[in-house]
């Protein structure tokens, strides 16, 4: 049975005070959320503690947006698995396209970070996806296959989530057609040794397209940027029909 996983990625948004305000609005809306849906908030490092302390036994799981491959060391600006688990983090996004594009993340470093996450008992959310240029050149599927192959070397597929995030659909309002995302996610699944790995779609997921996205048979959840920043819109997504 594949798990349904609905995750917000706050990226570099929200101070601690803003996080608390979000929770005040969002926590009550979870009373309507059907059982069996995993709800995750992947927040900036400085917000982890305050969210952890304000969950009040709610079903929200805590996620981070990166983890370093070493257990500790002289790596200025990085964060270790132990630092994350100590504050209650269970999930961590790895290989987001913004990390690959702006911070030099490669399939090799993504693989190292995935290994470290699993070594510390964290469940990684591995992001893959193509640029518009790669899509227009008909290279999307080959590129995604390469990412899956190289990123998952020696990775335990029983503790893994994958997010298909076409880069051209991120933050643009230009969503990938639900059927096209379903097709690509089916292809990703065919490359895995464990068919039960939850595979999410990400890229301009909004209250007005969530129901259609979640109706697709291959799509097990969503990774949401902008629409996860407001309690009302993220609640509508988490409580999709
Ligand atoms: P948007 O939902 O803002 O397009 O962002 C998607 C994303 O990058 C989630 O990781």
């Amino acid at each position: 049975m594949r798990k349904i996983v609905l995750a917000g990625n706050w990226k570099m948004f929200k101070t601690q005070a803003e996080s608390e305000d979000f929770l005040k609005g969002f926590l009550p809306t979870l009373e309507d959320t059907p059982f069996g849906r995993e709800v995750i908030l992947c927040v900036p490092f400085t917000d982890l503690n305050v969210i952890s302390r304000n969950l009040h036994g709610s079903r929200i799981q805590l996620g981070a947006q990166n983890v370093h491959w070493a257990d500790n060391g002289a790596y200025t600006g990085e964060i270790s698995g132990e630092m994350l688990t100590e504050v209650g983090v269970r999930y961590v996004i790895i290989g987001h396209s913004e990390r690959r594009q702006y911070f030099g993340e490669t399939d090799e470093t993504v693989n190292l970070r995935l290994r470290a996450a699993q070594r510390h008992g964290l469940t990684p959310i591995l992001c893959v996806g193509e640029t518009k240029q790669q899509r227009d050149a008909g290279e999307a599927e080959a590129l995604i296959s390469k990412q899956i192959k190289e990123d998952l070397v020696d990775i335990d597929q029983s503790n893994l989530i994958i997010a298909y995030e076409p880069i051209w659909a991120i933050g643009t309002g230009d969503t990938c057609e639900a059927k096209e995302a379903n097709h690509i996610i089916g292809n990703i699944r065919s490359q895995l040794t464990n068919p039960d790995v939850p595979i999410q779609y990400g890229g301009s997921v909004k209250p007005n397209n969530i129901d259609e996205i979640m109706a697709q048979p291959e799509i097990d959840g969503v990774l949401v940027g902008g629409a996860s920043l407001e309690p009302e819109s993220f609640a509508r997504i988490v409580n999709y029909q």
Side-chain angles (χ1 to χ4, degrees):
M1 237 317 243
R2 277 151 35 201
K3 218 163 44 171
I4 293 172
V5 188
L6 306 151
N9 173 12
W10 281 1
K11 307 192 180 185
M12 198 175 72
F13 290 99
K14 289 198 193 294
T15 62
Q16 297 187 54
E18 289 165 345
S19 305
E20 282 190 73
D21 282 348
F22 174 92
L23 284 183
K24 279 187 201 128
F26 184 64
L27 286 183
T29 69
L30 288 174
E31 282 165 24
D32 305 327
T33 309
F35 286 106
R37 297 185 186 180
E38 188 89 331
V39 181
I40 308 171
L41 285 176
C42 299
V43 303
F45 298 134
T46 48
D47 295 339
L48 290 170
N49 231 330
V50 72
I51 298 214
S52 192
R53 278 191 273 110
N54 284 282
L55 286 181
H56 306 302
S58 101
R59 57 195 283 184
I60 298 177
Q61 300 287 342
L62 198 54
Q65 298 173 14
N66 202 3
V67 63
H68 195 259
W69 52 83
D71 291 343
N72 50 51
Y75 298 105
T76 302
E78 289 283 336
I79 197 143
S80 76
E82 192 181 359
M83 292 168 185
L84 297 178
T85 55
E86 187 186 37
V87 291
V89 171
R90 297 268 312 275
Y91 292 89
V92 59
I93 295 173
I94 294 179
H96 191 281
S97 59
E98 288 149 16
R99 300 287 322 163
R100 295 181 191 252
Q101 255 183 312
Y102 308 135
F103 302 101
E105 206 78 71
T106 64
D107 288 313
E108 191 185 353
T109 58
V110 166
N111 176 256
L112 289 171
R113 291 184 199 270
L114 288 169
R115 290 177 195 222
Q118 292 192 334
R119 195 166 68 241
H120 287 278
L122 294 161
T123 301
I125 302 176
L126 164 66
C127 299
V128 297
E130 80 287 0
T131 61
K132 175 149 183 12
Q133 214 179 6
Q134 288 162 333
R135 180 177 190 247
D136 292 348
E139 294 166 357
E141 302 222 350
L143 183 272
I144 294 162
S145 294
K146 178 176 175 291
Q147 288 179 327
I148 291 290
K149 185 162 171 258
E150 295 183 6
D151 296 351
L152 292 185
V153 173
D154 290 334
I155 295 305
D156 174 6
Q157 294 189 11
S158 68
N159 181 30
L160 176 69
I161 295 168
I162 295 174
Y164 167 56
E165 296 206 310
I167 296 169
W168 49 271
I170 294 178
T172 58
D174 198 5
T175 332
C176 182
E177 283 282 319
K179 283 202 170 61
E180 185 182 342
N182 186 65
H183 173 76
I184 293 185
I185 287 175
N187 276 350
I188 293 174
R189 194 178 312 286
S190 69
Q191 284 185 67
L192 302 177
T193 52
N194 174 13
D196 289 336
V197 172
I199 309 182
Q200 302 172 304
Y201 167 76
S204 297
V205 175
K206 306 285 178 206
N208 65 7
N209 57 25
I210 183 66
D211 298 337
E212 190 193 0
I213 291 168
M214 289 308 296
Q216 303 300 315
E218 294 288 351
I219 301 182
D220 304 320
V222 284
L223 183 57
V224 187
S228 72
L229 293 170
E230 295 303 326
E232 300 74 24
S233 54
F234 196 47
R236 174 63 184 86
I237 287 170
V238 163
N239 294 324
Y240 71 87
Q241 309 289 305

